[in-house]
Amino acid sequence: MATARNKARTKAFQIIFEADHRGVKPTLVLAEWVARARSGEEGVPQVPEYTQDLVEGYGRHAARIDDLISTYAVGWTLDRMPIVDRNVLRLGAYELIWEDSVPDPVVLDEFVEMAKDFSTDESPSFVNGLLARLMELKPSLRVARD
């Protein structure tokens, strides 16, 4: 059963995925989603506050997150990664390093599950390996995170 946070993460992933696909800032897509939800259009779900927090937080640190992923994704460049994996990693890296409200192992598990749900058979182990490496490095990354 999906928790409220799980659903919020999935929406945040969908927003940054759409932004990446369209080549626009995630905050623009977030604003569009929120506007549609507020319009009263039937069948358009609300955008949870935690989704907004994740997308806005990722947006503030996107360049640093891409740099970290590029540095630690051995043998992969961002542009060669499948778009799903790239965006699962981006959101996972943001929540792991900048959000302190969720224990790190939970964050890791959530994004590995997201990779299982939305990407290839190889993706969960790739996402797990890279996020686990960032989790190990978190104390040193936190020093330079802001």
Side-chain angles (χ1 to χ4, degrees), residues 105-118:
V106 173
V107 172
L108 191 70
D109 288 346
E110 287 285 330
F111 288 97
V112 168
E113 286 302 313
M114 195 177 289
K116 285 180 187 174
D117 291 344
F118 295 107

Side-chain angles (χ1 to χ4, degrees), residues 11 14 34 48 75 81 86 97-98 103 119 129 137 141:
K11 280 188 194 238
Q14 291 168 328
V34 169
M81 272 179 211
R86 178 170 61 232
I97 298 166
W98 281 274
S119 199
L137 297 169
L141 297 176

Side-chain angles (χ1 to χ4, degrees), residues 3-19 26 29-30 33-34 37 43-55 87 91 110-111 114 118:
T3 66
R5 283 243 167 139
N6 179 278
K7 291 175 184 175
R9 280 183 192 96
T10 299
K11 280 188 194 238
F13 161 72
Q14 291 168 328
I15 289 168
I16 69 166
F17 177 94
E18 180 180 332
V29 176
L30 174 62
W33 280 45
V34 169
V44 177
Q46 294 299 311
V47 179
E49 185 177 335
Y50 196 62
T51 295
Q52 295 177 49
D53 293 345
L54 290 172
V55 173
N87 289 292
L91 203 55
E110 287 285 330
F111 288 97
M114 195 177 289
F118 295 107

Side-chain angles (χ1 to χ4, degrees), residues 71-82:
T71 299
Y72 296 104
V74 179
W76 286 93
T77 58
L78 270 176
D79 59 341
R80 275 194 56 236
M81 272 179 211

Side-chain angles (χ1 to χ4, degrees), residues 13-72:
F13 161 72
Q14 291 168 328
I15 289 168
I16 69 166
F17 177 94
E18 180 180 332
D20 190 10
H21 183 71
R22 290 173 48 193
V24 299
K25 291 190 178 294
T27 49
L28 172 68
V29 176
L30 174 62
E32 293 169 354
W33 280 45
V34 169
R36 281 192 62 217
R38 288 184 180 152
S39 73
E41 184 179 331
E42 191 174 327
V44 177
Q46 294 299 311
V47 179
E49 185 177 335
Y50 196 62
T51 295
Q52 295 177 49
D53 293 345
L54 290 172
V55 173
E56 290 166 356
Y58 165 72
R60 283 190 303 275
H61 302 285
R64 175 74 174 128
I65 290 167
D66 281 358
D67 182 52
L68 289 170
I69 293 169
S70 295
T71 299
Y72 296 104

Side-chain angles (χ1 to χ4, degrees), residues 85-106:
D85 295 2
R86 178 170 61 232
N87 289 292
V88 167
L89 286 167
R90 284 172 167 164
L91 203 55
Y94 168 73
E95 191 171 8
L96 187 65
I97 298 166
W98 281 274
E99 284 291 327
D100 295 325
S101 62
V102 181
D104 293 348
V106 173

